[in-house]
Amino acid sequence: TTRPDAEERFYDFVVVSNRLPVDSVVGGDGRQRWTQSPGGLVAALEPVMQSRDGAWVGWPGQADLDLEPFDTDGMHLVPVPLSALEVEHYYEGFSNDTLWPLYHDVIAAPSFHREWWDTYRLVNTRFADRTAEVAAQGGLVWVQDYQLQLVPKLLRELRPDLTIGFFDHIPFPPYGLFSQLPWRTQVVEGLLGADVVGFQRDADAGNFQQAVRRLKGYATKGSHIEVPLVDTSPGVRVYGPIKRGQASRTVIAKKFPISIDAAFYREAAARPDIRARARQIRGDLGNPKTIMLGVDRLDYTKGIRHRLEAYGELLAEGRVNPEEVILVQVASPSRERVLSYMQLRDEIELTVGRINGDYSEIGHQAISYHHQNYPRDEMVALYLAADVMLVTALRDGMNLVAKEYVASRFDSDGVLVLSEFAGASDELTRAVLVNPHDIDGLKDAIMAAIELPARERESRMRYLRKRVFENDVEKWSSGFLHVLVHHHAIVASASAS
Ligand code: G6P
């Protein structure tokens, strides 16, 4: 399609992410419609974009869809098309079968394919080109997540006038794992194209800095990295520290823990219709004494198997009475054409079937399992209905479900069981913290959560709520953008003088 110049606008603020906040899906009737995109990234950025007059550059979630820019829900969206082969190599392949498992502690084995890498580079170039077309002179661009790690450098080359931020929503792996990546140096160079590189945890920022030191030899001090303006000529593999008098730019790499629109959850949870729906859910589940809840994308990083194993053993040992307790597991469909996700689904559904076969009665299930997506209001009702929330990720950048649960509990009741391997555990320290690999420990934690006295529940939940409301998504985005703008101003004035 052609894009008439007259219609093209320029934006002072541009967010770039693999996915747009809406996904184009074709229904069973063959008709196209838009749905809200899955995952924490979109959930966090949507309120940020609705409050700013910026553009959002991203893929509309379906192959071979070439659309003009359009507006929705108060946001300006600039679609980037991907062919079916690009979806396979760049999205399902390199992003979700190479980087995703590598960056999540190789819980699944990453695959390394040179064709996937070639497509990753090509698609990153397309995102950078499209962003360069819509960003205003001197504008601010904020690139998101592991699918687009080459964009900061590509964009800087095209548009040195821009201020460029990058935020990594997922963990950044320790060097011992990261160094497996055949294209590790190019990835580090791509990220160093940004002025500020943000991470979820201190550990992630530290791992990135170590990769920079090991692969590029650049000096790091605190959160600052000195990047020489003229790199050692290509082909020369030995990089050295910056020599005296050599011109350099400073890149900041530090943590900015992401959050949620906490007020939305508090207000939704207080609504009479949603509270009524929570009571109805409880009734429909047979008014059990304890409702436990898991809410995850169906992903091997989320520790759903470990959770089911622990619950199954508690039932087998009679520590949990299936007439009193129910586990509601929402596993939303994700990356369904990637083999490791198909295998995981089979394993989980086999286990759910077995546990239900052994312990469910007619009219009462041990596990209420849903491979579905629910609207946000329904999620809030579920959070309100749940006495115990199980977040047992084996590795997770942040985990916003944990924060959504806390923000929804305006009654200061409910117990959060939270994995130490989720970024959220840095802040939510008064959750019942668990190591999900330790099945006995996990079982004890689940029992402790079920039996926690009301006063203890309240005191813990009050603390957790304070942390979530003090650090909501507005604080995350304004904190990041403040550092970005401030840093850029310092760099600009230093290079002018
Ligand atoms: C995580 C990632 C996001 C991603 C989301 C959903 O939250 O950090 O970048 O968008 O999962 O995954 P999907 O592959 O469906 O975009």
Side-chain angles (χ1 to χ4, degrees):
T1 54
T2 54
R3 294 193 174 84
D5 278 343
E7 285 182 19
E8 196 78 301
R9 271 188 61 187
F10 300 108
Y11 295 89
D12 294 321
F13 180 57
V14 182
V15 159
V16 193
S17 68
N18 173 57
R19 259 185 205 287
L20 287 173
V22 287
D23 248 359
S24 168
V25 291
V26 180
D29 56 2
R31 284 172 55 176
Q32 189 267 346
R33 60 196 169 81
W34 295 100
T35 61
Q36 165 150 20
S37 299
L41 182 153
V42 161
L45 276 163
E46 207 170 45
V48 173
M49 291 308 280
Q50 280 163 344
S51 66
R52 291 169 202 261
D53 184 39
W56 192 330
V57 177
W59 172 52
Q62 198 192 306
D64 295 314
L65 196 63
D66 195 359
L67 302 171
E68 293 297 326
F70 63 100
D71 288 2
T72 182
D73 289 337
M75 298 178 288
H76 311 291
L77 308 187
V78 181
V80 175
L82 296 180
S83 71
L85 195 69
E86 286 164 352
V87 171
E88 203 181 313
H89 287 183
Y90 149 79
Y91 169 69
E92 289 159 353
F94 200 78
S95 295
N96 291 315
D97 207 6
T98 306
L99 294 174
W100 182 269
L102 182 66
Y103 282 31
H104 288 88
D105 289 355
V106 301
I107 297 165
S111 313
F112 300 111
H113 295 298
R114 283 162 284 186
E115 319 80 74
W116 290 2
W117 162 250
D118 291 339
T119 311
Y120 183 80
R121 265 179 24 206
L122 181 87
V123 170
N124 270 249
T125 308
R126 183 174 311 144
F127 272 85
D129 289 347
R130 193 69 186 110
T131 306
E133 283 168 12
V134 298
Q137 184 69 25
L140 209 130
V141 176
W142 196 5
V143 183
Q144 311 289 326
D145 229 357
Y146 61 101
Q147 303 94 340
L148 301 176
Q149 294 175 104
L150 308 181
V151 169
K153 176 170 190 259
L154 294 164
L155 194 57
R156 180 172 294 279
E157 284 163 5
L158 291 166
R159 292 285 307 273
D161 59 294
L162 298 173
T163 302
I164 303 170
F166 181 92
F167 187 76
D168 179 18
H169 292 251
I170 71 172
F172 196 90
Y175 188 69
L177 295 178
F178 182 67
S179 56
Q180 287 183 13
L181 188 69
W183 310 279
R184 58 199 186 184
T185 306
Q186 289 96 313
V187 165
V188 163
E189 288 172 351
L191 292 170
L192 287 173
D195 297 291
V196 176
V197 187
F199 296 91
Q200 303 282 25
R201 308 177 92 160
D202 281 328
D204 302 314
N207 289 341
F208 174 67
Q209 293 192 349
Q210 193 184 8
V212 169
R213 290 192 297 271
R214 294 288 294 267
L215 294 168
K216 302 295 297 178
Y218 300 161
T220 64
K221 194 168 175 219
S223 55
H224 288 200
I225 304 171
E226 287 307 311
V227 178
L229 289 182
V230 182
D231 205 345
T232 315
S233 49
V236 179
R237 289 217 148 253
V238 188
Y239 300 91
I242 295 172
K243 295 181 193 71
R244 196 184 276 275
Q246 191 179 350
S248 68
R249 43 183 275 272
T250 306
V251 173
I252 293 183
K254 66 188 282 270
K255 73 162 174 187
F256 297 88
I258 202 167
S259 194
I260 56 165
D261 181 357
F264 167 86
Y265 287 89
R266 181 183 51 207
E267 282 154 26
R271 262 165 48 194
D273 57 326
I274 290 187
R275 293 169 68 180
R277 174 67 190 141
R279 285 191 296 275
Q280 189 187 17
I281 288 172
R282 193 164 205 109
D284 289 351
L285 293 172
N287 277 315
K289 209 167 137 207
T290 306
I291 298 177
M292 299 203 289
L293 176 66
V295 174
D296 314 84
R297 276 186 309 101
L298 207 161
D299 195 300
Y300 50 79
T301 59
K302 303 291 184 183
I304 304 171
R305 274 183 304 198
H306 295 63
R307 191 181 309 165
L308 293 176
E309 189 176 339
Y311 183 54
E313 287 189 16
L314 288 172
L315 287 165
E317 292 160 9
R319 291 170 75 185
V320 157
N321 176 354
E323 281 166 22
E324 293 182 346
V325 178
I326 187 167
L327 170 63
V328 178
Q329 177 65 52
V330 177
S332 44
S334 188
R335 306 173 191 165
E336 291 187 273
R337 301 201 316 174
V338 178
L339 184 65
S340 44
Y341 289 76
M342 297 179 198
Q343 288 168 341
L344 178 73
R345 182 173 176 197
D346 287 345
E347 283 173 42
I348 285 176
E349 294 184 354
L350 181 76
T351 308
V352 169
R354 284 214 174 127
I355 293 177
N356 273 338
D358 286 341
Y359 303 104
S360 296
E361 301 285 335
I362 287 178
H364 181 89
Q365 281 179 294
I367 305 177
S368 174
Y369 171 79
H370 310 271
H371 183 246
Q372 284 167 59
N373 267 312
Y374 293 110
R376 233 170 259 174
D377 285 0
E378 179 74 354
M379 293 315 303
V380 176
L382 271 169
Y383 292 144
L384 269 184
D387 304 291
V388 175
M389 180 82 213
L390 299 175
V391 177
T392 58
L394 305 178
R395 182 56 78 190
D396 208 333
M398 175 56 64
N399 195 293
L400 293 182
V401 163
K403 293 189 174 180
E404 289 172 6
Y405 177 67
V406 167
S408 301
R409 298 312 303 235
F410 69 94
D411 55 356
S412 291
D413 205 351
V415 183
L416 174 64
V417 174
L418 177 60
S419 165
E420 297 163 22
F421 297 95
S425 67
D426 280 359
E427 294 165 86
L428 304 183
T429 50
R430 290 202 67 201
V432 177
L433 295 178
V434 290
N435 167 8
H437 296 282
D438 171 10
I439 299 295
D440 285 335
L442 182 53
K443 285 159 65 183
D444 290 345
I446 291 174
M447 290 316 296
I450 292 175
E451 289 161 3
L452 207 65
R455 274 185 50 197
E456 179 71 11
R457 294 201 298 265
E458 182 178 337
S459 127
R460 284 172 178 258
M461 187 52 80
R462 279 190 190 285
Y463 174 88
L464 299 179
R465 287 175 65 74
K466 197 158 173 276
R467 297 301 298 263
V468 171
F469 282 95
E470 277 170 3
N471 298 295
D472 69 353
V473 75
E474 188 359 74
K475 186 151 173 207
W476 168 74
S477 60
S478 56
F480 184 96
L481 295 172
H482 176 81
V483 170
L484 181 58
V485 169
H486 187 71
H487 175 58
H488 188 81
I490 292 174
V491 172
S493 72
S495 60
S497 62

